[in-house]
Amino acid sequence: MTAVGEQQGTPPEMTSSWTPQAHAERLDAERRERQELAHRIGRTLAAEFNDRQVEGGGWRHQVAPVNFVSVLLTHPSGMSLSLTHEGSYRKDAAGRRLTVRDGYPSEYCGWRAEPVTVGIDTSSESKARQIIRRLLPDYLSTFGAARAMQQRVQEETRSRQRLNRRMQDVLPALRAAPYEQPHAVDARKQSHWSAAQHRPDGASAPRAHCSGSVRLADDASSAEVLKLTNVPADLLLEILALVNAQSVLEGRVMPRMISPQRPELPAAPTVIHV
């Protein structure tokens, strides 16, 4: 018997299994196991899609470096399918399913096909068959519209970039709004300028005769001048004259060739009957 209050010895094998090093090694082994499972799922599913000539083949897989199964299938057309292990806390087979979502261009903001789920432990043939039957029809019906929207948005972005460069050449004081992200500055919709000559670093800044802001349309075909302040009187008249579509034309008269003069026709004789 062991006396009350006396501590019993812990077996050496139990002590060593709960050390921080052993715990880290166990987590690393589990992570590698999940990565190998993700690669196996992605590799076999991509091969199954290619064997079935889904959208002509060419599918490839990628695995995200995360602590759960996450596979991405990509196609040369830009289509993509992501398979992610969600709900692992669920019991039994419900916790062994992958959520399959379709991928769209970032410019697309329309309706998207609803995701489906497939079993992790099912065969690649079963996974491919369920995805093709339950997800691909809705995906294919919307992906064309997504690509068209992507191309339109990209062309509008290029148009704004060109107009912003021209505006900058005309008015060097033009600046992007402070909230604009660096990658979106060149294609920004709203710009502003100030008549004040100051910068936080003390360097000289380009000046303007007045302060104001302007907002471009999506396709840069027009703009909305939101505000003009402290406009000098002479500049005001120039701006109003430019806005006036019925302004008087200016220039000089230029000579032009005219046809030679023709003699006047004689008067017709008058006949009087008596």
Side-chain angles (χ1 to χ4, degrees), residues 9-48:
T10 304
E13 59 274 9
M14 293 183 59
T15 305
S16 60
S17 64
W18 287 99
T19 62
Q21 181 179 358
H23 182 63
E25 290 176 353
R26 187 163 53 253
L27 292 179
D28 189 57
E30 293 174 355
R31 183 188 61 81
R32 288 196 305 270
E33 182 180 353
R34 284 189 293 266
Q35 292 287 299
E36 292 173 358
L37 174 61
H39 276 292
R40 185 165 61 253
I41 292 175
R43 182 172 58 254
T44 57
L45 189 54
E48 187 67 26

Side-chain angles (χ1 to χ4, degrees), residues 110-127:
W111 182 83
R112 300 172 181 239
E114 294 294 331
V116 300
T117 62
V118 295
I120 291 180
D121 303 314
T122 59
S123 65
S124 59
E125 293 85 354
S126 176
K127 292 184 180 70

Side-chain angles (χ1 to χ4, degrees), residues 206-233:
R207 298 192 61 181
H209 291 297
C210 63
S211 302
S213 58
V214 61
R215 182 176 180 83
L216 302 180
D218 290 341
D219 60 356
S221 61
S222 61
E224 177 184 358
V225 179
L226 302 179
K227 180 176 65 175
L228 289 174
T229 59
N230 301 321
V231 182

Side-chain angles (χ1 to χ4, degrees), residues 3 8 26 40 44 56 70 99 104 130 141-142 147 154 166 185 189 241 257-259 264 266 270:
Q8 297 182 356
R26 187 163 53 253
R40 185 165 61 253
T44 57
S70 179
T99 302
Y104 292 88
Q130 293 188 55
S141 66
T142 56
R147 287 297 300 271
Q154 290 176 350
R166 295 181 61 187
V185 168
K189 296 181 181 180
M257 297 295 295
I258 59 175
S259 59
E264 184 179 357
T270 303

Side-chain angles (χ1 to χ4, degrees), residues 18 26 29 48 60 66 85 99 102 113 128 131 144 162 178 182 196 198 232 258 269:
W18 287 99
R26 187 163 53 253
E48 187 67 26
R60 303 179 64 180
V66 293
H85 186 200
T99 302
D102 38 14
I131 293 172
R162 289 191 294 266
H198 61 82
I258 59 175

Side-chain angles (χ1 to χ4, degrees), residues 72-73 78-83 99-105 108 111-116 131 134-143:
L72 179 67
L73 298 181
M79 298 175 61
S80 63
L81 296 170
S82 64
L83 295 87
T99 302
V100 187
R101 292 184 175 86
D102 38 14
Y104 292 88
Y108 181 62
W111 182 83
R112 300 172 181 239
E114 294 294 331
V116 300
I131 293 172
R134 298 165 55 198
L135 181 62
L136 278 188
D138 289 340
Y139 185 26
L140 294 176
S141 66
T142 56
F143 188 73

